[in-house]
Amino acid sequence: MKVAVTGGAGYIGSVTSECLLEKGHEVVIVDNLSTGHEEAVERGAAFHRCDLLDTEAVRKVLSTGIEAVCHFAAFSQVAESVSDPLKYYRNNVCGAVSLAAAMRDAGVTDILFSSSAAVYGEPDSTPINEDSRLQPVNAYGGTKLAVERMLSDCSKAWGLRTLSLRYFNAAGATGKHGEDHRPETHLIPLVLDAAAGRRDELVIYGDDYPTIDGTCVRDYIHVKDLAEAHLLGLEKLPAGCTGALNLGNGRGFSVLQVIEAASRVTGNDIPFRMGARRSGDPAVLVAASARAEEILGWKRRHHEIDVIIEDAYRWKRDHPGGYASA
Ligand code: UFG
């Protein structure tokens, strides 16, 4: 299959491109490199440096025999989305509208959309299934929900075939691709930087949550398992598979448990101190992913938090300064 991957120079997009190529698919990456890295573009993929807001340029790329789109390109810093919502709505929502228009004009019908657990906001109960209330508590989640709805409306209007994949906390790496956000705000890369002495200490955002040890609990899902779900989703779209599916590990780990695991993996003590809560952080986010397992036939292969952290650690060790240091 010839697949366009928007955001293919980013974290989850680059890993998915790698897996698509391994499985013999043709990959065409569309990325404006605003947050992605040219070094992350898979060698076997075609690459167009192109902004999704340029509908005509995207249409031209899609008119080269593209059969399906995996749409990853988006801004994803929750705190930034709260302080600058227009930046997020312009890029994430207007970009997706432009992409959908380009797909319609190019006659491409199939799209997998990278959505997020952020669409649930502060959940009423956990584990969270797809029928839980959709009530994003930040602009980032708001943009993801808006795009899910826009794609579903296009589906009703002109037959777009769309499936939204709601990721929980993507983590881990492959040998080639890992997390390199600037600035980095995600827990596991920050913990690994503290373990390696690249950062003085980790600040834990709050220890007074109603959880096992007072720190927030998250569901860390290996990025390779996320990529695998995309391969399965692409096969299912033509059969009418639609709607939204959660992708998580089904197990929650607190911030302190992640620090302990990283300490085991690296063999180093990790300096940390307790800080204030970060605004917008729900206490517990754990996925019920039974629907994805049933509908996609998805099986997670990398459950263990130590394995997930070990893969992230290996990538960090080989790329201490991110892609620039490769
Ligand atoms: N944390 C710290 N200190 C840090 C960084 C993070 O204590 O320096 C804590 C956070 O408070 C949170 C946990 O570690 O409890 C995980 O934080 P991340 O920033 O790694 O991830 P989030 O859970 O905030 O967000 C992730 C994605 C979002 C997505 C969200 C949905 O980054 O894109 O999951 O679950 F919206």
Side-chain angles (χ1 to χ4, degrees), residues 116-118 140 169 185-187 190 203 205 216 218 278 281 285:
S116 167
Y140 169 71
N169 287 58
T185 60
H186 292 100
L187 179 64
L190 290 176
V203 179
Y205 298 142
C216 287
R218 292 290 181 272
R278 184 170 68 175
D281 266 347
L285 284 176

Side-chain angles (χ1 to χ4, degrees), residues 10-23:
Y11 174 41
I12 310 173
S14 61
V15 173
T16 303
S17 297
E18 180 183 352
C19 293
L20 283 164
L21 286 162
E22 268 170 21
K23 289 276 155 57

